[in-house]
Structure formats: structure tokens, C-alpha cells
Amino acid sequence: MSTRWQRSPAPRGDEYDVRWKSLADAGHNIHGEADLVESLLAESGGTSVLDAGCGTGRVAIELAHRGISVVGVDADAAMLAAARAKAPQLRWIEADLADLTSAGVDRVNLVLLAGNVMIFLEPGTEAQALVQLAGRLTPGGLLVAGFSIRPDRLSLRQYDDAAEQAGLRWVARWATWDRAPYDDGDYAVTVHRLRRSPR
């Protein structure tokens, strides 16, 4: 199991969490993803989330604190170890998002891809990951992804095309997790809804 993230020099585990703690200590809201997910679930009547590429569990743990049923999946064992240490009561699964066939992931109302997950997947597996994740959605379920737009990574056009092929219908796109209008900037948060069974 290999991903672009695992080959990156980014900090892992507790070291990764230091940045978020520092932002929280400075008074920043570090739960924008959870705020959006909670509001989308309230609008659609959903109650369950798959945090795909959950890392150290920051978003999943916050969603659980808000009473939302959540499961975290990540390919990085060190990140998951930090998540399990912080919230052993939650379900954490080590798996490649492009191959969830044996991961035992139940269907959920919303799949979340926060933290640049889509651009850290192994190049060429992005479409397969979306097929796998769409297959974990209940009818009418939502897939929400936020990632940086970079010249050498997955483009929004490629992402939308792959989502379409996975049976997902475009719903909305914003520049931030608090729904600021998207204006062709360098970050996008996109919502798709399951339209039909993935191909």
C-alpha cells in the first residue's frame, strides 16, 4: 500500500497535531470541516460519516463529540496510531482508499475527504478511490472533498470527471469550509451526491 503522502516529508502522528494545537491556542477555529459536515448532515437528514484519509483523527473525533457516527480510514499507520491513542472508542481502519473491498466499511450518509487527501493519493488511483468511496454511500449520500489546486496535481476538471464516472452528481463548490464563494482560487471544497450505482 503506497500513497504520495507516505513518500512526503510531512510530519506524522503527534508531530502533525502540533500545528493544529498551535492554531487552536491562537484562537483559530480548527473545526471548519466538522462545521460544514454537521450542517450538511442536518440539511440532508444524515447521521453517519466516513472520514476518508482521517490522519490523526482531528475531524472524526470532533464529529463524534457532536454526536455523529463516524469511522476513520487511513493508509498511514503512524497517523492512525495517534488517532487511536486520542479516541480508542472510535473505529479506525488502516486501508488504501483505492481498495476498500476488504476493509469492512459500512455504508454512510457522507464521505469526507479533508486535508488534501485527493492530491496525496497514489497518482492514477484517484478515480478508483472515488469509485470505492461512492460505493460506501447510502442512496443520495454526499461526498465532500477539500484540496489545494496545484499545477502538478489533480485538477478540478479531472476530479469532477472522475466523480461523474463514479456515479456522483455535482452539487456545490466553495473556496473554504465556511462556504465562501469559489472564484478559481487555489483551494476548493466540493460536494457531490450519489446519483446511481458506481460503474
Side-chain angles (χ1 to χ4, degrees):
M1 181 167 33
S2 173
T3 64
R4 198 192 293 257
W5 164 262
Q6 288 166 314
R7 295 191 299 276
S8 79
R12 303 292 197 270
D14 294 338
E15 289 180 46
Y16 178 85
D17 284 339
V18 167
R19 173 176 176 258
W20 296 104
K21 182 179 185 311
S22 161
L23 286 169
D25 290 347
H28 296 281
N29 174 22
I30 64 166
H31 297 302
E33 302 99 328
D35 292 342
L36 178 59
V37 167
E38 184 178 35
S39 68
L40 289 172
L41 288 175
E43 292 164 13
S44 64
T47 60
S48 57
V49 172
L50 171 62
D51 186 357
C54 63
T56 61
R58 176 181 57 86
V59 181
I61 293 167
E62 179 63 20
L63 289 172
H65 284 161
R66 300 181 189 199
I68 295 165
S69 173
V70 60
V71 173
V73 177
D74 204 284
D76 190 312
M79 300 292 269
L80 282 177
R84 288 189 182 105
K86 289 186 289 187
Q89 76 280 11
L90 297 182
R91 187 169 177 222
W92 306 104
I93 300 171
E94 185 177 345
D96 184 343
L97 297 183
D99 184 12
L100 296 173
T101 49
S102 60
V105 179
D106 296 328
R107 290 184 181 270
V108 295
N109 305 127
L110 187 148
V111 169
L112 174 66
L113 292 145
N116 282 323
V117 172
M118 284 305 303
I119 63 171
F120 277 115
L121 295 175
E122 185 68 14
T125 68
E126 298 92 348
Q128 181 59 27
L130 288 176
V131 168
Q132 290 286 304
L133 294 167
R136 270 66 193 171
L137 284 171
T138 56
L142 300 175
L143 187 142
V144 184
F147 58 91
S148 296
I149 312 305
R150 305 178 188 177
D152 62 336
R153 300 290 178 94
L154 184 72
S155 71
L156 283 177
R157 178 62 180 271
Q158 291 169 323
Y159 176 72
D160 288 342
D161 287 348
E164 171 75 19
Q165 290 299 309
L168 297 159
R169 178 175 57 83
W170 191 94
V171 174
R173 173 163 292 139
W174 302 294
T176 62
W177 292 95
D178 59 359
R179 305 194 197 204
Y182 182 70
D183 58 358
D184 292 322
D186 61 1
Y187 192 84
V189 177
T190 307
V191 181
H192 283 86
R193 185 182 302 278
L194 184 65
R195 184 185 59 232
R196 52 183 162 71
S197 298
R199 293 176 185 170

